Amino acid sequence: MTHVQTAFVIDRRDNVATALESLTPGVVRLTGEPVQPETTVTQEIPDGHKLALQDIAADEDIIKYGVVIGRATVPIPAGSWVHLHCMRSLVDELRVYNKVLADTTVKTIYE
């Protein structure tokens, strides 16, 4: 029996999926809320990392959870590994921005 590689699509609007295992080039079954049942991975993708479900142009939004989480810094072909080498995270920028706005420096005491 042949092993079937899998990735998870959180929201139908997503243009990336999450690898549920380390992926090698070839066919990958998509679970969750995929628009299509499978895609083809073109390079190795580490477990838990993102893969492009479609071609993503430079400066185009990276969408996961149905929301924008980042922006492509270079063109990303479908089936490619999507990580900080080819995108800028907007999640980290928003987290820092919100912390500055809210001045949320809190001393936590664990008992």
Side-chain angles (χ1 to χ4, degrees):
M1 182 175 199
T2 304
H3 174 73
V4 178
Q5 303 184 106
T6 57
F8 191 79
V9 180
I10 297 169
D11 188 284
R12 294 181 71 77
R13 295 169 288 184
D14 294 352
N15 59 8
V16 295
T18 302
L20 295 178
E21 60 190 288
S22 295
L23 302 176
T24 57
V27 175
V28 174
R29 182 172 55 96
L30 298 174
T31 61
E33 294 292 324
V35 173
Q36 63 220 31
E38 63 185 28
T39 192
T40 301
V41 169
T42 59
Q43 63 186 128
E44 292 187 3
I45 299 174
D47 181 20
H49 286 242
K50 296 175 290 300
L51 64 113
L53 295 173
Q54 62 195 52
D55 290 339
I56 302 171
D59 295 322
E60 188 175 338
D61 291 339
I62 306 295
I63 302 169
K64 185 176 178 182
Y65 315 105
V67 298
V68 176
I69 63 161
R71 188 151 298 121
T73 55
V74 297
I76 305 170
S80 297
W81 180 31
V82 179
H83 199 56
L84 297 177
H85 68 282
C86 62
M87 67 168 282
R88 186 178 82 245
S89 172
L90 299 180
V91 174
D92 292 335
E93 289 179 20
L94 288 172
R95 195 174 293 141
V96 169
Y97 178 73
N98 287 335
K99 182 176 179 179
V100 169
L101 281 182
D103 189 26
T104 58
T105 305
V106 176
K107 182 177 180 182
T108 304
I109 300 172
Y110 297 96
E111 298 179 14

